[in-house]
Amino acid sequence: MAETAAGVGRFKANYAVERKIEPFYKGGKAQLDQTGQHLFCICGTRVNILEVASGVVLRSLEQEDQENITAFDLSPDDEVLVTASRALLLAQWAWREGSVTRLWKAIHTAPVATMAFDPTSTLLATGGCDGAVRVWDIVRHYGTHHFRGSPGVVHLVAFHPDPTRLLLFSSAADAAIRVWSLQDRSCLAVMTAHYSAVTSLTFSADGHTMLSSGRDKICVIWDLQSCQATKTVPVFESVEAAVLLPEEPVSQLGVKSSGLYFLTAGDQGTLRVWEAASGQCVYTQARPPGPGRELTHCTLARTAGLLLSATADHNLLLYEARSLRLQKQFAGYSEEVLDVRFLGPEDSHVIVASNSPCLKVFELQTSACQILHGHTDIVLALDVFRKGWLFASCAKDQSVRIWRMNKAGQVICVAQGSGHTHSVGTVCCSRLKESFLVTGSQDCTVKLWPLPKALLSKNTAPDNGPILLQAQTTQRCHDKDINSVAIAPNDKLLATGSQDRTAKLWALPQCQLLGVFSGHRRGLWCVQFSPMDQVLATASADGTIKLWALQDFSCLKTFEGHDASVLKVAFVSRGTQLLSSGSDGLVKLWTIKNNECVRTLDAHEDKVWGLHCSRLDDRALTGASDSRVILWKDVTEAEQAEEQARQEEQVVRQQELDNLLHEKRYLRALGLAISLDRPHTVLTVIQAIRRDPEACEKLEATMLRLRRDQKEALLRFCVTWNTNSRHCHEAQAVLGVLLRREAPEELLAYEGVRAALEALLPYTERHFQRLSRTLQAAAFLDFLWHNMKLPVLAATPTPWETHKEVLP
């Protein structure tokens, strides 16, 4: 095997998260500001604020109680945002800064289900699950009204557009619309015409007419002077929202006169325009195929001329209001991400297959999203052809589709094929040329689909719909579901992996069996050919990855490290390393030569089904059941360069420190040692200062000239030194200077001072006891010395003096 092909220096060591595509809308209310630049929507415990132009989440607002948000509303002047949570708290936000300006109890006995501002942005009405309607003065911060009498949940409140009339409308579980007078503090009228829940209330510009919509498949026009229904329009669908259009002709929408026209959004998944006078539908939007297209919300931003609608599968669609031309698409929630792929010759886009029949294509640079409709059941797998413009998808609807992206980034379906009798769970495109693709299914067969020549010509656009694909070869390959298929780099071999715990090798295009790879203890989730060597990698539910030789079908290596099923495997670093993803939510990087797991990447919280590497091998893409898509960047070279620069800087600083100590420039030396964040180096400087003949004065003078953050660091280091009897004297000297020369208030303001003192006290007491014992012993020795009575010894003559005496 050619492990050395890329060289040791080219091995990857780490990936870092470059970008995340995360859920930002999980259903419920969505609202535009008056300028149409910001979009507000609920996602669990947060209200997310999106920048419409880029699709980026600017702010994510969460209340202190961290409970789910049940309702929110933005004031008509775009200044105040109010949110309500399950903890029965209301929060008023300065949303541009992301700060709470006021938090108060809702007083409702059950969660707030709906809220609405009045036209002046000073009053807020809240409707609760307890059947109460309350009105709050946002400016003066007090509750002004409490209206009782609604049975069940109050799910809709709206103020009259004329603030002088002081009227509030609400609707509850009994499908009646109640009119409340703020002036009289009473219910003026109960308007009944609906037989099911009222879903929206909207008013004409003059304030004389109101339109209500309901799930009873009718819209009712009301005269607000008499509070009577003047017209009932059957719309033949359960309506979630109705919007009154501006009273001006719009030929594109069939609005030919200046009468009353309204737009409905409901369970048919299309926007329709109705003439109120005749009750006729004058415009119907084309409905895309597939489930999950029901519209759950619709709102009009009149100033910006934009219409926002939300679908049942949590997509947000932004239309130009006059023509209903689609301007922007946002994928709010992808549920379980099943597969991901880079798209485009330069990997400029990302395709995401989630628990939905729709595909989502994201442009990485601008975050623009395109939602692709075609499949009628959940899309299970994706693959991209060599040049990056064509890609294939397969789904539970037993079909395979081929899509093409043009240079403008627009994607259309150009071909489709069907023939499998069960879900198609895996697809692989030819590697050498854009000539064919292979699919594997739960019906235990693989099919080879040649690409028609008409599909390969660049300028062909399918005017009559997608071209039909015909399977050239069908082969029953396994006894259980086929989970993965892979085509060799030369397009001559096919590998299949199955739930029957085996992988098999086949010769293309006739699918003749060449051999079987046996050894895994559980089913296989992924098979992958090495780009450089005659090796096959398999990933299994037994938690292992195995490498097999294609010549003799023997197992070369086994990689163990995942705690659960390994779902995907991919070769990187020119075939010398592996990336794997598993059910444990981890992505692991392996070096083949030594079987070592180099790095474990932990950013997902659930099964990582999708894994794909970029053409330049510098980025990786993962998608998981936690609804996250993460783009990883290879940071090996950057980290190596950073480490080298750090080491070089350390050498330079160490030399500078030595020079400063030699020159006895203690202040600069101490400051430099602290900036290096190396306690031992700082200790060396303190010891050098204490060796000076004027140690006390020098240490005190040097420390008093330090900045506060440097003194804090010095106190932290003292804690470490004080644990060792050899270095405790330096720690006590520093501590003594701080205690003598710093005011107690300043010392207590130091960061972490309490923890430092708690750590210093026990060791200081121990050192004090040790020194006390030493002092006692020294005093005893001194006492003994002074009290010892030594006898006076006679002087003994020296040998020389004796010799002199005997001389004549």
Side-chain angles (χ1 to χ4, degrees), residues 386 428-433 435-436 486-495 505-509 514 529-535 550:
R386 187 174 62 93
C428 188
C429 300
S430 55
R431 300 292 177 224
L432 210 55
K433 296 178 181 177
S435 53
F436 65 93
I487 297 171
N490 62 1
D491 283 353
K492 293 182 178 178
L493 297 173
L494 171 72
L505 189 68
W506 310 81
L508 292 176
L514 299 177
F529 284 99
S530 167
M532 305 298 290
D533 307 300
Q534 294 188 11
V535 170
L550 298 184

Side-chain angles (χ1 to χ4, degrees), residues 355-515:
N355 201 15
S356 159
C358 304
L359 289 170
K360 287 132 188 162
V361 178
F362 296 92
E363 187 178 359
L364 290 175
Q365 192 172 357
T366 64
S367 300
C369 174
Q370 188 180 350
I371 298 164
L372 308 180
H373 303 279
H375 286 287
T376 56
D377 209 338
I378 294 171
V379 180
L380 297 173
L382 303 165
D383 201 20
V384 180
F385 281 95
R386 187 174 62 93
K387 292 180 181 176
W389 297 111
L390 284 173
F391 69 94
S393 63
C394 60
K396 280 188 175 181
D397 60 9
Q398 304 175 12
S399 74
V400 59
R401 283 179 177 262
I402 297 176
W403 310 77
R404 176 187 283 129
M405 183 176 75
N406 61 20
K407 291 184 178 177
Q410 296 301 309
V411 180
I412 54 170
C413 180
V414 291
Q416 65 175 5
S418 57
H420 284 287
T421 57
H422 281 83
S423 299
V424 186
T426 177
V427 62
C428 188
C429 300
S430 55
R431 300 292 177 224
L432 210 55
K433 296 178 181 177
E434 295 179 338
S435 53
F436 65 93
L437 59 92
V438 173
T439 55
S441 168
Q442 284 185 5
D443 62 13
C444 307
T445 67
V446 296
K447 288 182 181 286
L448 186 144
W449 311 80
L451 266 59
K453 290 182 180 178
L455 199 64
L456 301 175
S457 58
K458 293 181 181 178
N459 299 320
T460 55
D463 299 326
N464 301 322
I467 299 170
L468 289 176
L469 298 174
Q470 297 293 330
Q472 175 183 316
T473 308
T474 301
Q475 177 68 46
R476 182 178 173 85
C477 297
H478 292 271
D479 297 326
K480 291 186 179 179
D481 299 0
I482 297 172
N483 291 331
S484 179
V485 293
I487 297 171
N490 62 1
D491 283 353
K492 293 182 178 178
L493 297 173
L494 171 72
T496 57
S498 168
Q499 280 296 114
D500 64 8
R501 298 180 289 182
T502 65
K504 293 183 180 181
L505 189 68
W506 310 81
L508 292 176
Q510 299 303 321
C511 283
Q512 293 133 342
L513 181 63
L514 299 177

